[in-house]
Amino acid sequence: MSSMAAPRSAMGESVRIVLRDEDEENGDDSPSAKRPKLDRLPLTRWEIVASLSVFFIFSAGLFCVYLTMPAADFGKLKLPRSISDLRLLKDHLGSYAKDYPAQFILGYCSIYIFMQTFMIPGTIFMSLLAGALFGVIRGLLLVVFNATAGASSCYFLSKLIGRPIVSWLWSEKLRFFQAEIAKRRDKLLNYMLFLRITPSLPNLFINLASPIVDIPFHIFFLATLIGLIPASYITVRAGLALGDLKSVKDLYDFKTLCVLFLIGFIFICPALLKRKKIYE
C-alpha cells in the first residue's frame, strides 16, 4: 500500500507544479493577485543619509541666522497658514523689518529657500508678506530671487535622491512629462517657460522631475527666473491689500488664469509654429 501511495503523491505533486507554471505563464487573474502591494519608500540607505544630511545642514544654517537676529517677541512668530495668520504676522513684523532691514531680509530669504528646497507648503504666504512689507518692486525682486534659489536647490536635491521618490509618487505623470520633453528638445526653453507661467503642472513636480528627465540646469534656471515673474507679481501686488483678501483662492480667478495662459501661449508659439512647418 505504501509503495502505491508514494508514486501517487509524486504524481499529484507534479500535476500541481505544471498547473502552477501554467498560471504563471497565463497570469493570475484572481482578486488576490490584482490587489496592489504596499510599496515601501524606494530610497537606499545612502540616499536617506544624504537627504537627512542636506536637511540638517540647511536647518543648522537657519538656526544660526535665528541666533544672530536682534531680540524680538519670537513667541508671536509662526508660519502663516491662512490670511488671518498672515495679517497678524505682518502687524508683528512691520516695525521689526523697518528697524532691522538687513537681518530681516536675511531671515526671510533663509526661511523661503528652506521651504522651497524641502517642499514645505506655505511659500505663497511668504510672497504675500513680501508685498505687504516691501511694496511691489522690492517685494517682486525678493520673491523671484528666493523662488528661483529655492527651486534650484530643489533641482539639485532631486538630482541627488529624487528619481525613486518621483517614480514612486507620480509614475504616470513622470512618463507623460518625459514624453513631452522629448518632443520639444529643440524649443525646450519655450516649453519650460509655458509650464512656469501657466498652472499646467505643479511647480513642485517641475522642480523634482526636471533633473530626472534631463532638462539642463541653465534651461531650468532661466525658465524659472523669467517664468515665475507674472504669478509672483500677482501675488506680491495682492499683498498690498491684505485687508481685502479673504482667501488664497481669490488670487487666481478666471480672468487671472486667462491672462497667465495668454502670456504662456506667447512664449510657446515659436515652438508650435516650428512643428507646423516641419509637418508641412
Side-chain angles (χ1 to χ4, degrees):
M1 293 287 293
S2 60
S3 62
M4 294 178 63
R8 186 177 301 169
S9 62
M11 184 180 298
E13 184 66 25
S14 63
V15 170
R16 282 195 294 271
I17 291 173
V18 171
L19 291 175
R20 191 184 306 134
D21 292 341
E22 290 179 355
D23 288 339
E24 291 176 355
E25 291 177 1
N26 297 330
D28 190 0
D29 294 332
S30 63
S32 60
K34 292 181 178 180
R35 192 180 300 128
K37 296 180 180 179
L38 292 176
D39 294 329
R40 298 173 62 188
L41 186 63
L43 287 177
T44 65
R45 185 177 302 176
W46 180 88
E47 288 169 337
I48 293 174
V49 170
S51 58
L52 289 177
S53 300
V54 174
F55 179 81
F56 283 122
I57 290 172
F58 269 84
S59 301
L62 195 60
F63 185 67
C64 290
V65 170
Y66 166 78
L67 291 177
T68 57
M69 294 182 72
D73 191 0
F74 291 109
K76 296 181 180 180
L77 303 183
K78 65 175 184 177
L79 288 177
R81 296 300 177 192
S82 65
I83 297 298
S84 58
D85 289 345
L86 186 61
R87 292 193 192 104
L88 292 175
L89 186 63
K90 175 191 175 272
D91 294 337
H92 293 318
L93 290 177
S95 58
Y96 185 89
K98 291 179 181 178
D99 296 337
Y100 307 100
Q103 291 91 336
F104 177 80
I105 290 176
L106 179 61
Y108 176 90
C109 293
S110 301
I111 294 172
Y112 199 117
I113 294 172
F114 182 87
M115 294 175 67
Q116 191 86 346
T117 300
F118 295 102
M119 301 150 282
I120 300 173
T123 52
I124 189 169
F125 294 111
M126 299 292 288
S127 301
L128 287 167
L129 182 63
L133 294 177
F134 297 106
V136 175
I137 302 300
R138 289 193 299 166
L140 179 62
L141 292 174
L142 196 62
V143 168
V144 171
F145 167 78
N146 285 300
T148 304
S152 300
S153 299
C154 188
Y155 175 98
F156 288 115
L157 183 64
S158 179
K159 195 170 187 177
L160 180 66
I161 61 167
R163 183 178 294 275
I165 297 176
V166 177
S167 300
W168 183 52
L169 293 175
W170 302 294
S171 57
E172 292 295 329
K173 189 178 290 187
L174 181 62
R175 281 195 288 268
F176 167 79
F177 188 46
Q178 196 162 19
E180 292 298 310
I181 292 298
K183 290 189 292 186
R184 295 172 170 85
R185 282 288 174 188
D186 53 341
K187 290 289 184 180
L188 191 53
L189 180 59
N190 298 79
Y191 181 62
M192 288 297 294
L193 282 168
F194 173 80
L195 293 181
R196 282 302 196 188
I197 294 170
T198 65
S200 303
L201 285 174
N203 280 324
L204 170 62
F205 174 78
I206 296 173
N207 295 342
L208 291 171
S210 292
I212 297 172
V213 298
D214 297 325
I215 294 176
F217 176 69
H218 69 279
I219 297 289
F220 175 87
F221 179 83
L222 285 174
T224 303
L225 182 65
I226 300 171
L228 291 181
I229 292 176
S232 298
Y233 173 79
I234 293 169
T235 307
V236 169
R237 193 168 182 272
L240 295 175
L242 281 180
D244 300 331
L245 198 63
K246 296 180 180 179
S247 171
V248 175
K249 296 179 181 178
D250 297 338
L251 291 173
Y252 298 101
D253 54 9
F254 180 75
K255 181 180 178 181
T256 303
L257 291 176
C258 288
V259 172
L260 291 176
F261 271 101
L262 178 61
I263 298 172
F265 277 117
I266 291 173
F267 280 101
I268 205 173
C269 267
L272 297 176
L273 292 174
K274 185 173 182 180
R275 289 187 66 189
K276 184 179 179 181
K277 289 180 181 179
I278 292 174
Y279 286 125
E280 288 177 350

